[in-house]
Amino acid sequence: MTEATGTVPESTREQPPRSPRGLLQALNLDTRLLGMVGALAVIWIGFQILSGLTGPKHDIFSGTFLTPVNLYNLAQQSVSVGIMATGMVLIIVSRNIDLSIGSILGLTGYTMAMVQVIWIPKSLGLGFDQPYTWIIALAIGIALGAAIGAFQGFLIAYGKVPAFIVTLGGLLVWRGLVFEEQQGQTISPLDKTFQLLGGSPTASLGDVASWILGILACAGIIYTLIATRRKRRKYGFPVRPTWALGVLMALGCLAILGFVWIMNSYAWPPGLATQYAHDHGITAPPGGLQIATGIAFPVIILIAVTLVMTYITTRRRFGRYVFAIGGNPDAAELGGINVRRTIMLTFVLIGILAAISGAVQSARLQAAVTSLGTQAELDVIAAAVIGGTSFSGGIGTIPGAVLGAVVMQSLRSGMLLLRVDSPIQDIVVGVVLVSAIAFDTYVRGRSAR
Amino acid sequence: MSEGAMSTEKVAGVDSAAAPLGAPLVEMRNIRIAFGGVHAVEGVTVDLRAGEVVGLVGGNGAGKSTLMRALSGAHPPDGGEILIDGQVASITNPRDAKALGIETIYQTLALADNIDAAGNMFLGRELKTRTGSLDDDAMESATRKVIGRLNPRFKAFKRPVMSLSGGQRQSVAIARAVHFNARILIMDEPTAALGPAETAQVRTLVKQLKDDGIGIFLISHDIHDVFDLSDRISVMLHGKLVGTVRKADVTTDEVLAMIIMGKLPSEVSEKDLAELHR
């Protein structure tokens, strides 16, 4: 947006620039992503104030949105949509669409439940809760998701059937198969280990491991920034000034450690803590046993998926080709890129991601129901688009889409907190989606000149 | 239209008189390309030698670009054969062509607008690190070197090429064609988007590449460009080859007569020339 001026970014000045614009350019951060973080902050603070005003104390300081328990839940609830949104970015960037992911999620989630509740224990007579059950169920689910994605991707890339049509058909077919598989019964209880994928106070890292993970992540950021800088120096390219590097490191580490701190501030619910104390023969101190929850397992899955997908998108040929195809399909073809194979692979990828989401959602419910993932495609597309993915193709980022998922979930969870009726929630989400894109199109149009 | 002008003996006659000794770098023999029922290229034969520029001219829809798309692998021909260094070559896609050392600067430039200069220059041929990741720094470094030579004022290496000017975009497309040690270069209207200064740069570049022994097919609407740069000129009309002439042997009027009337210089009368200038 501010790129049009384009004079400062390659500056090697060591003094911090005076204007905020110059500051941003020296930091060389993605301004769109920063804008989203700002929007998210506004939404969070808004809900915090509103929940205080409508709460029992009627003041702006007693809000319940920015509390560890709510943020812990928000993180968990964003996982399923976030995971799939990372794949949707690649689909939309290459000028396609996938309407079937909700149904793929449903079918893979349901099938994974069948594996652990019926096939392994009953059909094969191996019994419940075997140590290998969860991994076999997960592997079968992921393989199924990949196979469905490959089939749809083949029809789209090699059969030249529009993605909208193929995946619209898929939406109906895969959901229909869910009902065929076990007459639409709810399948439970799931394998004990598998349930950990869904996250709960007992399916989280705990405080020590969360801190260790946070510190490792900080070390990772610092190492990456220094290594990148060293390499650019070696080639004699312009680099960020040293102070900007320091600011970036500090901001990154602060964000990570802040997140860990919040997740660790959420203590186990008293009932669960008492039960735990009882089971382990611990005498609860006065005021009850305080056990820090830490980062939930599914949130770790989302973080891992985000890192892997970001790497694939920005550091591998495959990602480069997806963007090239979205930017100019003819140029990609003339560059010798295997366009059809690349397109097909994007659908394989989103099939796998839908299966992972299916595992997380069913594990969280501790059961598979036929409605699993219904309408998930809409939230996922909205998350990707709010996160800066452009429907005209060629533009989008993985972290943006994940942030988009958090924005969507923040709206829903905040309105739930304010006891807004469900139809009104839908209206608000719809309006926000369209306004966000209209605003973005306007800004892009201006900056393109 | 004069059918006599199409006769292969006459074309071959002119050709052999013009061509130097040694096996041609490229021979396209009797190439046919059809779109549905439309014959875009009908039995065209052209050749190219190392260190030579062959201008390919003709009106709109004459089939110049289509013929060259057959050589660059963008559209395999329906008939005829292509020989590289005297060997029959099978070129079914752009990768085949590049493997044979054939690079193309397309009229549309064929750039992915959302990607930066280095990404475009290495599109389909990315450099990788030991771990198989993209080596963006090495690619940027190479791009800075190549483009820096072509266009010293080019600075926007980190921006998507959509934000660049026509001349800068052209620099990227040209850099891509020359970086990979092309032996055969196809330039389709390379100066169409350029201002006078940049056009002059491209002309210098063409002469330089020619001195390096690269064979160049140059497609252009601009007869003066072609006359300035080419050694030989092949003229097409309605998908057929009118003839190939040595630049030294003809005048611009005679080439114009070939383009417009499909007549070889030997067939052009005073009346025809008067017609041209009317």
Side-chain angles (χ1 to χ4, degrees), chain A residues 400-432:
Chain A
V402 175
L403 261 181
V406 176
V407 168
M408 292 283 293
Q409 197 54 49
S410 298
L411 284 174
R412 288 201 186 275
S413 134
M415 286 189 288
L416 209 62
L417 206 63
L418 299 180
R419 299 206 181 82
V420 175
D421 290 339
S422 164
I424 306 287
Q425 284 186 30
D426 285 346
I427 291 173
V428 171
V429 171
V431 169
V432 167

Side-chain angles (χ1 to χ4, degrees), chain A residues 231 311 315 317 321 328 394, chain B residues 111 114 126 133-136:
Chain A
K231 195 152 179 237
Y311 173 70
R315 312 288 320 145
R317 279 186 173 180
Y321 293 171
N328 186 345
Chain B
L111 298 174
N114 53 335
E126 287 77 5
S133 307
L134 294 175
D135 196 343
D136 279 322

Side-chain angles (χ1 to χ4, degrees), chain B residues 3-24:
Chain B
E3 280 302 316
M6 308 298 169
S7 104
T8 42
E9 296 91 275
K10 270 189 185 164
V11 171
V14 174
D15 217 5
S16 62
L21 296 170

Side-chain angles (χ1 to χ4, degrees), chain A residues 27-363:
Chain A
L27 288 174
N28 200 6
L29 281 173
D30 183 348
T31 43
R32 281 190 50 87
L33 216 57
L34 281 182
M36 283 192 54
V37 172
L40 193 62
V42 169
I43 292 171
W44 283 13
I45 293 167
F47 277 126
Q48 172 71 3
I49 292 173
L50 285 174
S51 61
L53 289 176
T54 55
K57 286 186 183 163
H58 296 289
D59 64 35
I60 60 168
F61 303 111
S62 63
T64 46
F65 190 87
L66 295 177
T67 52
V69 55
N70 193 52
L71 293 176
Y72 175 87
N73 285 327
L74 181 62
Q76 261 199 339
Q77 289 156 357
S78 306
V79 169
S80 174
V81 169
I83 289 174
M84 291 186 284
T86 62
M88 187 60 83
V89 170
L90 296 185
I91 299 278
I92 298 178
V93 159
S94 54
R95 305 190 183 186
N96 285 306
I97 192 72
D98 194 335
L99 303 175
S100 68
I101 46 172
S103 295
I104 298 178
L105 189 163
L107 183 60
T108 52
Y110 204 81
T111 305
M112 283 184 273
M114 297 275 292
V115 170
Q116 52 194 292
V117 177
I118 295 170
W119 296 346
I120 289 181
K122 296 182 186 159
S123 308
L124 296 177
L126 296 170
F128 290 95
D129 291 326
Q130 295 294 340
Y132 49 78
T133 302
W134 74 278
I135 189 82
I136 291 178
L138 190 62
I140 289 176
I142 288 176
L144 178 64
I148 292 174
F151 176 60
Q152 294 191 147
F154 181 81
L155 289 178
I156 293 159
Y158 293 89
K160 305 270 181 214
V161 187
F164 189 93
I165 302 301
V166 170
T167 58
L168 183 62
L171 175 113
L172 302 169
V173 171
W174 314 127
R175 180 66 62 193
L177 281 178
V178 174
F179 285 89
E180 287 302 308
E181 222 169 351
Q182 192 72 4
Q183 296 86 46
Q185 292 170 9
T186 294
I187 306 211
S188 69
L190 299 187
D191 179 77
K192 290 251 168 2
T193 319
F194 190 86
Q195 285 186 18
L196 296 178
L197 297 173
S200 67
T202 47
S204 300
L205 270 189
D207 51 357
V208 176
S210 293
W211 280 122
I212 292 174
L213 190 69
I215 290 166
L216 285 179
C218 283
I221 285 193
I222 292 172
Y223 172 78
T224 312
L225 280 173
I226 291 179
T228 311
R229 182 186 176 83
R230 188 168 292 162
K231 195 152 179 237
R232 286 187 66 81
R233 268 267 161 80
K234 200 183 89 193
Y235 278 104
F237 297 160
V239 292
R240 295 183 182 96
T242 319
W243 67 264
L245 188 75
V247 169
L248 271 188
M249 286 176 181
L251 282 179
C253 291
L254 217 59
I256 289 170
L257 297 177
F259 173 72
V260 172
W261 177 69
I262 291 168
M263 292 299 122
N264 279 342
S265 303
Y266 172 45
W268 284 23
L272 201 61
T274 312
Q275 179 70 39
Y276 179 86
H278 179 79
D279 289 350
H280 291 73
I282 305 165
T283 356
L289 193 62
Q290 291 291 313
I291 304 174
T293 305
I295 305 170
F297 290 154
V299 175
I300 294 170
I301 296 176
L302 175 61
I303 293 169
V305 164
T306 307
L307 289 176
V308 170
M309 288 295 288
T310 304
Y311 173 70
I312 289 176
T313 304
T314 59
R315 312 288 320 145
R316 301 298 296 196
R317 279 186 173 180
F318 168 74
R320 176 69 46 87
Y321 293 171
V322 168
F323 277 78
I325 291 168
N328 186 345
D330 295 333
E333 193 84 58
L334 293 173
I337 293 171
N338 192 335
V339 172
R340 287 185 281 191
R341 185 167 145 264
T342 307
I343 295 284
M344 182 168 149
L345 279 176
T346 61
F347 283 92
V348 172
L349 211 50
I350 203 168
I352 291 171
L353 294 169
I356 296 175
S357 287
V360 169
Q361 278 207 10
S362 57

Side-chain angles (χ1 to χ4, degrees), chain B residues 219-255:
Chain B
I219 300 181
S220 182
H221 275 100
D222 185 342
I223 191 82
H224 301 291
D225 252 4
V226 172
F227 248 82
D228 186 34
L229 297 171
S230 309
D231 300 298
R232 286 185 295 146
I233 299 170
S234 291
V235 181
M236 288 181 72
L237 181 68
H238 303 316
K240 295 177 181 165
L241 185 74
V242 178
T244 300
V245 293
R246 227 161 53 172
K247 181 187 72 178
D249 299 342
V250 291
T251 63
T252 48
D253 277 354
E254 283 170 334
V255 174

